[in-house]
Amino acid sequence: MTMMMMSATTSMKPCCRILFGSGTPAVRRRRVAAAAVGYIRRFDASYSRRFPRIVRRMPCHCRASAAAGADGGVSIARRHSTSVEIVGAGESKGFERIYVQGLAAAVKPLVVDPIPVEVPGPPSPEEAVEEERGVPIAAEKELSEMEKEAWRLLREAVVNYCGNPVGTVAANDPSENASPLNYDQVFIRDFVPSALAFLLKGEFEIVRNFLLHTLQLQSWEKTVDCYSPGQGLMPASFKVRLVPLDGGNEAFEEVLDPDFGEAAIGRVAPVDSGLWWIILLRAYGKITGDYALQERVDVQTGIKLILNLCLSDGFDMFPSLLVTDGSCMIDRRMGIHGHPLEIQALFYSALRCSREMITVNDGSKNLVRVINNRLSALSFHIREYYWVDMKKINEIYRYKTEEYSQDAINKFNIYPDQIPSWLVDWIPDRGGYLIGNLQPAHMDFRFFSLGNLWAIVSSLTTPKQAEGILNLIEEKWDSIVANMPLKICYPALEYDEWRIITGSDPKNTPWSYHNGGSWPTLLWQFTLACIKMGRPDLARKAVEVAEKRLSKDKWPEYYDTQTGRFIGKQARLYQTWTIAGFLTSKMLLENPEMASILTCDEDLELLEGCACLLNKSARVKCSRYAAKSQVLI
């Protein structure tokens, strides 16, 4: 039972406020009941303090509203979430059209009827222990001095909004010479390892607040040169600002100021923010057992708006997601425009997470069908065309070009001369990886760590391919890990290639930052992938490498040089996702059973199905039946 309320006023866009209680799997009913009783008693006295107005650069007010009428039999609590209406699909679309109702109109305040509550009795000794600890995670061990320091720094990075924690700043460097730039903001992608650290610690409030506040920011207007991107875009980051009330200088109110890319370098909208938000929403439910949050109408609508944006039909023929440079963790020009692996792995994971969380009813059946079809096509596409090992490189080396038939082997007209000289000597006999990008007449053979690791976590790869990726990392430890895990990509762009592709970017010089730099935050994703594949020893080895330097070096954002020996020349110190990534890795290794609820297992039914079977045209021939490799093992 989750209680929700919204503030009431008269103008601008509606902005929601949420009051809630959280529970654990063992004592959920007891804690929820107590929270409901406390809510009714405390509401009048605490409403104005707990639920001030959210604004974006200027005050914005809202009224609560009753939910839309026909919502497929959802719970009473979900009906009170937002003013949202789900509209049935048109004839030309495969899933429903979604919009937020009443953006400019005030509506009647929400009235909450008294709810009968069962008064809980005294807890048992076992329940009392779980009540105090939060969630039934393995017993706490004595923390090392480094872990204690990391937790202190992580808590110091927490950002509060109206007295409640809503996220962590990107970096919290106390030195006088450190310019804040945008590192004093809460980034969605940066907060994910912080959120997991708090969740694994049994501290849920900050993650729930973050999910709900960023959801409310989703509906804000965002423009660059009077042009607005599609509805459903999540911000890259947000900042809590103080603005004067009524134009005076005596009274101030806190406001949330989001950045959708219009203030970022390159003015690029963040494609990955919405994908990470969905992934974190699933993780929150899995760890806390608070699935009521996922079932709320506003949360369900937020998921669908993100999917609507990503699944929109366009000119592209590929099932992979087409994006620009700078739209993900690699947020500067690095030649990843098109179909970069990182976005495809996050896209696949977000689709799978969404399929678990979407409330299935008559209005969402078409959306689930579209998700299944896209998952089927995307998994085949990545497994078949992005995978390279010694055998596949030999095939590419002997490719014929200018093949026009549907039975062509070289479907993307890849020229064998594109195989770089470094790859011939670097690729081991044992193992392989997913290339960084694929487009017509272009294969980016660089190894990108995040995309490969998340492909393992989400089961975008086959089990055999996942094992091959870890084998390659082990074989090429000095290239990918060396003195600090892990290289964001390998190898770096150098000489003319660096000048042409990066535009002579002074921050992305060879073996620095996104151009071959080493990023400690990738450690938690490496740990997750290793545990899933039964290789925790490999993750422990990487954690031991990081432990030797991170605290001594003041937790930098990234490391430079080919072996990661130097602190990055422009790296921020006390980088929050470096700290959180280390803590999350340590906790996952101590409680490996927790890793299983953050990953996705192989879905054989999904892989055996094929969207092309829905097409009765005899002219269409699915490429998977002509593929030589076995993609289901």
Side-chain angles (χ1 to χ4, degrees):
M1 182 189 304
T2 301
M3 300 300 301
M4 292 156 283
M5 289 294 296
M6 306 176 195
S7 59
T9 183
T10 57
S11 65
M12 292 293 190
K13 305 185 179 91
C15 316
C16 295
R17 279 295 169 271
I18 303 94
L19 180 66
F20 58 87
S22 62
T24 69
V27 292
R28 187 179 304 131
R29 284 178 298 180
R30 180 185 307 282
R31 298 186 67 185
V32 169
V37 172
Y39 164 75
I40 296 171
R41 293 172 179 170
R42 295 192 306 269
F43 177 74
D44 290 336
S46 63
Y47 179 82
S48 60
R49 178 178 61 83
R50 292 177 59 90
F51 303 105
R53 293 166 289 182
I54 279 186
V55 301
R56 179 178 185 262
R57 296 188 177 89
M58 60 184 299
C60 155
H61 310 289
C62 60
R63 284 182 183 265
S65 70
D71 54 16
V74 297
S75 65
I76 295 295
R78 282 181 53 195
R79 290 198 185 99
H80 289 299
S81 294
T82 59
S83 175
V84 171
E85 180 177 349
I86 307 300
V87 180
E91 295 182 357
S92 61
K93 286 291 180 183
F95 53 92
E96 63 265 34
R97 183 167 52 89
I98 307 145
Y99 65 87
V100 180
Q101 184 185 38
L103 288 178
V107 291
K108 295 181 179 180
L110 176 66
V111 177
V112 179
D113 296 327
I115 300 175
V117 178
E118 178 184 354
V119 178
S124 67
E126 294 79 12
E127 289 178 336
V129 171
E130 288 186 4
E131 181 77 17
E132 180 68 23
R133 197 170 63 207
V135 339
I137 299 176
E140 298 245 353
K141 72 171 186 65
E142 182 66 25
L143 297 179
S144 67
E145 290 302 316
M146 185 175 177
E147 290 172 290
K148 290 178 182 178
E149 178 194 15
W151 273 113
R152 175 179 61 80
L153 293 171
L154 182 59
R155 297 190 194 285
E156 289 176 356
V158 169
V159 173
N160 287 293
Y161 173 63
C162 301
N164 299 309
V166 293
T168 51
V169 292
N172 195 25
D173 188 348
S175 65
E176 296 180 359
N177 298 327
S179 173
L181 294 177
N182 61 350
Y183 285 84
D184 61 348
Q185 299 188 26
V186 181
F187 283 80
I188 287 187
R189 73 172 69 97
D190 291 42
F191 181 67
V192 171
S194 297
L196 293 178
F198 285 122
L199 288 174
L200 293 173
K201 190 74 169 176
E203 301 175 18
F204 308 147
E205 181 188 7
I206 186 173
V207 183
R208 184 183 178 108
N209 290 346
F210 172 86
L211 290 167
L212 292 171
H213 282 300
T214 49
L215 176 65
Q216 298 306 318
L217 296 175
Q218 184 187 41
S219 63
W220 293 124
E221 293 180 1
K222 44 269 180 182
T223 62
V224 174
D225 297 334
C226 301
Y227 178 77
S228 299
Q231 189 183 23
L233 184 68
M234 282 287 189
S237 63
F238 65 86
K239 185 175 182 177
V240 178
R241 299 186 188 275
L242 289 177
V243 298
L245 276 172
D246 302 323
N249 293 322
E250 296 181 358
F252 294 81
E253 66 177 345
E254 289 183 340
V255 304
L256 292 181
D257 184 12
D259 174 20
F260 292 90
E262 69 267 38
I265 292 178
R267 304 301 189 261
V268 177
V271 177
D272 63 338
S273 290
L275 306 178
W276 276 123
W277 185 87
I278 289 175
I279 292 168
L280 180 58
L281 177 65
R282 174 185 181 263
Y284 172 85
K286 287 282 188 178
I287 293 177
T288 67
D290 180 14
Y291 294 106
L293 180 67
Q294 300 173 5
E295 297 171 356
R296 290 175 41 149
V297 172
D298 54 346
V299 174
Q300 287 284 309
T301 302
I303 296 172
K304 293 173 184 178
L305 286 171
I306 296 170
L307 296 178
N308 191 22
L309 189 63
C310 295
L311 294 170
S312 297
D313 295 332
F315 292 99
D316 194 41
M317 289 290 291
F318 301 163
S320 44
L321 196 58
L322 180 65
V323 298
T324 61
D325 249 338
S327 60
C328 55
M329 178 183 175
I330 299 179
D331 57 7
R332 297 168 76 94
R333 181 176 167 188
M334 270 288 291
I336 65 167
H337 59 276
H339 304 83
L341 177 64
E342 175 181 334
I343 289 296
Q344 312 318 316
L346 293 174
F347 181 38
Y348 183 84
S349 182
L351 289 176
R352 291 205 58 178
C353 293
S354 298
R355 192 178 60 165
E356 287 184 24
M357 297 186 293
I358 289 176
T359 302
V360 180
N361 50 42
D362 291 340
S364 63
K365 287 180 180 178
N366 285 336
L367 177 57
V368 173
R369 177 182 60 81
V370 171
I371 291 174
N372 283 329
N373 291 346
R374 192 63 169 264
L375 284 169
S376 175
L378 181 60
S379 61
F380 170 79
H381 186 81
I382 299 297
R383 293 177 175 197
E384 176 65 15
Y385 303 124
Y386 277 63
W387 177 256
V388 293
D389 53 15
M390 197 63 183
K391 178 183 177 183
K392 185 63 176 287
I393 293 172
N394 265 290
E395 291 179 9
I396 297 172
Y397 183 71
R398 294 173 55 83
Y399 266 173
K400 296 178 181 179
T401 58
E402 318 303 326
E403 294 185 289
Y404 294 97
S405 70
Q406 289 188 347
D407 294 328
I409 296 175
N410 186 5
K411 295 179 176 62
F412 301 97
N413 200 33
I414 303 300
Y415 302 113
D417 288 345
Q418 288 184 16
I419 300 175
S421 57
W422 65 265
L423 181 62
V424 176
D425 297 324
W426 188 77
I427 188 76
D429 293 329
R430 186 176 74 103
Y433 66 101
L434 298 173
I435 61 171
N437 211 329
L438 175 67
Q439 297 187 78
H442 173 70
M443 294 183 77
D444 185 346
F445 287 97
R446 287 176 290 176
F447 175 88
F448 288 87
S449 293
L450 175 55
N452 275 277
L453 294 176
W454 208 255
I456 296 174
V457 171
S458 64
S459 288
L460 177 56
T461 58
T462 69
K464 184 176 180 180
Q465 288 172 345
E467 188 65 36
I469 293 170
L470 294 184
N471 288 341
L472 178 133
I473 293 174
E474 185 177 31
E475 290 277 340
K476 295 299 176 180
W477 191 265
D478 291 339
S479 297
I480 300 172
V481 179
N483 292 290
M484 181 54 63
L486 281 80
K487 277 274 178 288
I488 192 170
C489 69
Y490 182 91
L493 300 171
E494 299 181 285
Y495 310 115
D496 288 341
E497 192 176 29
W498 166 73
R499 283 188 286 272
I500 293 170
I501 292 179
T502 74
S504 300
D505 187 346
K507 194 168 185 179
N508 271 333
T509 53
W511 306 109
S512 179
Y513 200 51
H514 293 317
N515 189 16
S518 298
W519 290 70
T521 188
L522 295 171
L523 191 60
W524 74 270
Q525 294 165 91
F526 180 59
T527 301
L528 202 55
C530 289
I531 293 176
K532 179 184 178 183
M533 298 307 298
R535 301 285 300 276
D537 55 313
L538 208 56
R540 289 192 186 94
K541 183 180 176 182
V543 170
E544 289 172 1
V545 171
E547 281 181 314
K548 295 176 182 178
R549 300 186 58 191
L550 284 181
S551 178
K552 181 177 65 175
D553 294 341
K554 300 180 180 178
W555 308 91
E557 179 182 17
Y558 64 94
Y559 285 78
D560 282 354
T561 75
Q562 193 164 353
T563 58
R565 293 187 65 188
F566 294 168
I567 297 174
K569 58 186 175 183
Q570 296 189 44
R572 284 296 188 278
L573 302 180
Y574 300 102
Q575 185 80 15
T576 304
W577 69 350
T578 296
I579 298 165
F582 167 76
L583 289 173
T584 300
S585 297
K586 293 287 289 187
M587 286 189 285
L588 287 173
L589 286 171
E590 292 158 9
N591 303 289
E593 68 279 1
M594 298 301 294
S596 63
I597 67 176
L598 299 174
T599 60
C600 295
D601 295 327
E602 182 80 308
D603 188 338
L604 294 178
E605 291 185 5
L606 173 69
L607 296 172
E608 290 170 356
C610 178
C612 296
L613 296 178
L614 300 176
N615 194 320
K616 299 180 180 179
S617 173
R619 188 183 67 81
V620 177
K621 186 174 184 179
C622 179
S623 59
R624 71 174 62 200
Y625 296 123
K628 292 184 177 181
S629 63
Q630 174 57 266
V631 297
L632 297 179
I633 61 173

